[in-house]
Each structure stands twice: as C-alpha cells, then as structure tokens.
Amino acid sequence: MAQADKALVSNSTIIHLRKVEFIMSSEQVLYIVATPIGNRDDISARAIDVLSSVNRIYAEDTRHSLPLLRHHGINTPVTALHEHNEQAQVSGILEYLQSGHDAALISDAGTPLISDPGFRLVRACQRAGVKVSPVPGACALTAALCISGLPTDRFQFVGFAPHKRAARKLWLQPLANLSSTQVLYESPHRIVDCLEDICEMFGMERELCVARELTKRFETVLHGAAAHILQGVFEDPNQQKGEFVIVIAGKPGSQAVDTSAEIALDRALEVLLQHLPVKSAAKAAADIFSMNKRDAYDRALALQQK
C-alpha cells in the first residue's frame, strides 16, 4: 500500500474513532448514586460531581435529601421518586432520559435499591436501552458487616422483616438453620419484638451484632448472645431509637442443612442440563433457588464435566 493511502486510512480511522467517542459520550445515563448513611461527609467526590452535573435528581424524600445536597453546594432540581409513585413515574422518567437528559437516583441514605425504591426504574431503563451506571459509596449493610466480628465470607441480606409477629416468625424460621451470616434491617418501633423473635427462632445463645445509627452522633454497636443483647436493648430506651442493622451468626454445625440444599440444586441442574445449554440451565436454576447466577453456572459446568 502506498504511503499516501496509508495516511488516508489512518486519518479515516482517527475520524471514525472520534465519531464513536462522541456517540458514546453523548449517551444519556441514569446514575445510581450512593449517599451518606449518617455523616454528611461520607460522600465521594465523584458523587458530588455527578449530582451537580446531571439535569435532574430523583430522591426518595426531597425534604430529607435537600439539606444534604445544599450542604455540598448541589443545586440540581430534585423530584420525588418513592415506593408509592415509582410505578406511575417510570414512563415519564424514561421519556425524560431519552429526550437527551441525564439523571441521578438517590435514596434517603446509602445505596439506592438496597431495601429502597428504584428497581422498577432500573429494570425499565435496561429494557429500553438507557444506560444505568453506579456511583458506589456508603451502604449500611456493608458498614455493619465489616464491624460485626462475624464471618463475612458468606452472608445473606434479607432486608426488612415482616411487621406482624406471626409472619415474622415464619420468615425467620428457615434462616435460623443456615450456616451463613444473616443480615437484616429493622426500625425502632419493632426492634425489641424482632429481637425477641430472633431469640425464640435462633436460640438465646446465637451470636449477634446490632448496629444502631451507624456513622451518626449516637452510633452504638452491640455484640454478644441474642438474649444478652435483647436484655440490653429492652432495659435502655436510648437503644430503641434510630435505624438498626442486625447481623446474625450462622447456625453452628448446620452444614447438613446446607448440603441438602446443594443436593436439591444438583438434581434440578441434572434435569435441566438434559434439555438446555449450560448457561440457560444455570439461569433457570438460579431463578428457582433464588441464588447467584454465577454460582449456579459454576455448579452446572462442574456437573456437565462429570
């Protein structure tokens, strides 16, 4: 190829790459932005930059979020998006994004969608081809886990427990037999009742960590047997105020229970693999057993190789 032709191709490639770069940079984005769970300064520089630069912020409670935004000099317009209006808002937000605007979603505290609204919106954006990008940061779940003193190599986050006692006991019962660490959120109105039910369903000696008001002025972290922590919270009204994360140790010697679940998974995968490719079989098993798709895929691959 002649030198002039090479230069022409090179210049053409550069122009093409620049066009691609422009298209990518002009793509509209919904940012999922983590905000502090307590201390206002527990926010990343990138989060501040994103919240300042987007066209609109969708917040779970504008009254709660506005003081934080003003504290960091963020004057972006804010619109409410919460569990009661999310479904009705989704189509309008999609239209707003597709018309050439960027937006950010924040919750009252921590990482959006972790027991907070936003799932319907994110799912709708993905299906519509709108880019969704995380701006990670504070999360009460990981904050409590890292100071709990309990195993973190395998844990399950179960969100908020049911409000009614009978439903809560039924909900707790299968969790009590697992060997992995369990993490749940609880409100001040039900903390004592929930701890009583944990004592009953998990046993008085089950090891717990109860983290209250993390990163805030009155932060407290209690460690010990379930009965001991229940007594401490019950006798001190101050320990019944604020937001709680409860971290529960797995059941000692419960490997047999977990093994039975693994046997059920293997049997299901063996049947699915007779009719589906590995990836499809793993996805179906993950949906059936409410488990991580990657773990299901690894197990399916191992069974196929056998």
Side-chain angles (χ1 to χ4, degrees):
M1 184 183 291
Q3 192 68 27
D5 292 336
K6 287 183 179 179
L8 182 61
V9 171
S10 177
N11 289 337
S12 174
T13 303
I14 291 170
I15 292 169
H16 175 69
L17 288 174
R18 283 176 178 169
K19 284 182 179 178
V20 172
E21 183 181 356
F22 172 75
I23 292 169
M24 291 179 66
S25 64
S26 64
E27 183 179 15
Q28 268 52 64
V29 182
L30 172 67
Y31 294 96
I32 308 301
V33 183
T35 54
I37 59 176
N39 191 309
R40 285 180 175 179
D41 293 326
D42 288 340
I43 186 169
S44 70
R46 180 173 173 238
I48 294 172
D49 182 58
V50 167
L51 293 173
S52 299
S53 62
V54 294
N55 301 108
R56 184 178 296 174
I57 297 170
Y58 293 98
E60 186 177 2
D61 186 336
T62 57
R63 296 166 300 177
H64 182 94
S65 298
L66 281 172
L68 171 70
L69 298 174
R70 300 298 175 257
H71 176 77
H72 291 288
I74 300 167
N75 298 307
T76 306
V78 182
T79 300
L81 181 76
H82 45 73
E83 60 179 331
H84 304 296
N85 75 350
E86 182 180 1
Q87 190 164 359
Q89 288 267 58
V90 165
S91 61
I93 296 173
L94 273 179
E95 184 178 343
Y96 182 75
L97 290 164
Q98 291 171 328
S99 66
H101 300 91
D102 287 333
L105 174 67
I106 62 175
S107 61
D108 284 352
T111 302
L113 278 80
I114 307 299
S115 284
D116 282 326
F119 169 75
R120 291 185 181 93
L121 176 59
V122 169
R123 192 67 172 264
C125 285
Q126 290 174 341
R127 289 174 173 172
V130 174
K131 183 177 179 180
V132 181
S133 181
V135 182
C139 179
L141 163 64
T142 52
L145 266 173
C146 72
I147 61 169
S148 68
L150 298 176
T152 58
D153 58 328
R154 189 179 183 191
F155 65 88
Q156 178 172 291
F157 174 62
V158 292
F160 281 92
H163 296 182
K164 300 286 182 68
R165 169 150 277 171
R168 187 164 56 242
K169 287 182 179 181
L170 286 173
W171 182 80
L172 288 169
Q173 187 174 11
L175 303 181
N177 291 320
L178 299 177
S179 62
S180 56
T181 300
Q182 305 295 307
V183 188
L184 61 142
Y185 291 165
E186 193 50 276
S187 70
H189 313 293
R190 293 183 295 274
I191 184 62
V192 172
D193 290 343
C194 185
L195 288 172
E196 287 176 346
D197 292 341
I198 288 173
C199 283
E200 181 178 342
M201 306 308 296
F202 286 73
M204 307 287 273
E205 297 302 317
R206 184 68 68 93
E207 191 176 358
L208 303 184
C209 169
V210 175
R212 181 181 76 93
E213 293 290 89
L214 285 171
T215 77
K216 300 177 186 176
R217 181 181 177 186
F218 297 107
E219 172 186 298
T220 56
V221 182
L222 305 177
H223 304 268
H228 174 73
I229 289 185
L230 170 60
Q231 181 181 359
V233 173
F234 180 78
E235 292 178 350
D236 184 356
N238 289 323
Q239 294 301 319
Q240 300 172 32
K241 299 175 183 178
E243 301 299 326
F244 296 84
V245 184
I246 304 174
V247 187
I248 310 173
K251 182 179 181 181
S254 61
Q255 188 59 41
V257 176
D258 288 353
T259 301
S260 66
E262 291 173 2
I263 291 171
L265 171 65
D266 285 358
R267 287 175 178 170
L269 281 170
E270 285 168 358
V271 174
L272 290 167
L273 286 168
Q274 294 176 21
H275 307 280
L276 297 169
V278 176
K279 188 174 181 180
S280 299
K283 184 179 184 302
D287 290 340
I288 293 169
F289 290 92
S290 298
M291 65 182 296
N292 183 279
K293 290 180 183 178
R294 184 70 204 180
D295 292 342
Y297 179 80
D298 289 344
R299 189 58 191 159
L301 204 60
L303 288 172
Q304 190 190 53
Q305 290 172 350
K306 278 186 178 181

